[in-house]
């Protein structure tokens, strides 16, 4: 998968969990908090990413996902 493909898929997964302004543009530097995802939704997002990309996110890594770019970079590194 290319960086653009992973970024597009991460954006799609994120958008599915956005309850506030789901049409808002998403950039790689947006924080999940800025996008309206609380800690529970972030856990849901990481679970969805695990299934979608067939990866595993270690529990100790969860706190490292602040920006959209963080998840995209993690997925690329896990592949």
């Amino acid at each position: 998968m290319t960086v653009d493909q992973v970024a597009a898929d991460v954006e799609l997964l994120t958008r599915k969990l956005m309850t506030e302004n789901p049409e808002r543009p998403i950039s790689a530097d947006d924080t999940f908090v800025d996008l309206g995802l609380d800690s529970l939704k972030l856990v849901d997002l990481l679970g969805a990413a695990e299934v979608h990309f067939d990866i595993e996110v270690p529990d100790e890594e969860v706190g490292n996902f602040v920006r959209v770019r963080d998840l995209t970079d993690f997925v690329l590194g896990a592949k």
Side-chain angles (χ1 to χ4, degrees):
M1 294 186 100
T2 68
V3 173
D4 290 341
Q5 288 172 320
V6 171
D9 287 356
V10 167
E11 180 179 336
L12 180 66
L13 293 171
T14 302
R15 192 168 301 285
K16 287 180 181 180
L17 293 170
M18 290 172 61
T19 53
E20 300 171 14
N21 195 8
E23 300 303 314
R24 175 195 192 285
I26 297 175
S27 80
D29 291 322
D30 282 329
T31 68
F32 292 113
V33 171
D34 290 342
L35 298 172
L37 274 65
D38 60 17
S39 58
L40 293 176
K41 286 185 180 178
L42 180 57
V43 170
D44 289 343
L45 173 61
L46 296 178
E50 287 180 323
V51 171
H52 182 82
F53 295 108
D54 192 28
I55 60 171
E56 186 174 330
V57 178
D59 290 342
E60 61 271 8
E61 293 286 328
V62 171
N64 296 331
F65 298 102
V66 176
R67 291 181 167 66
V68 174
R69 178 186 319 275
D70 299 334
L71 181 53
T72 301
D73 290 345
F74 181 83
V75 170
L76 289 167
K79 285 300 198 178

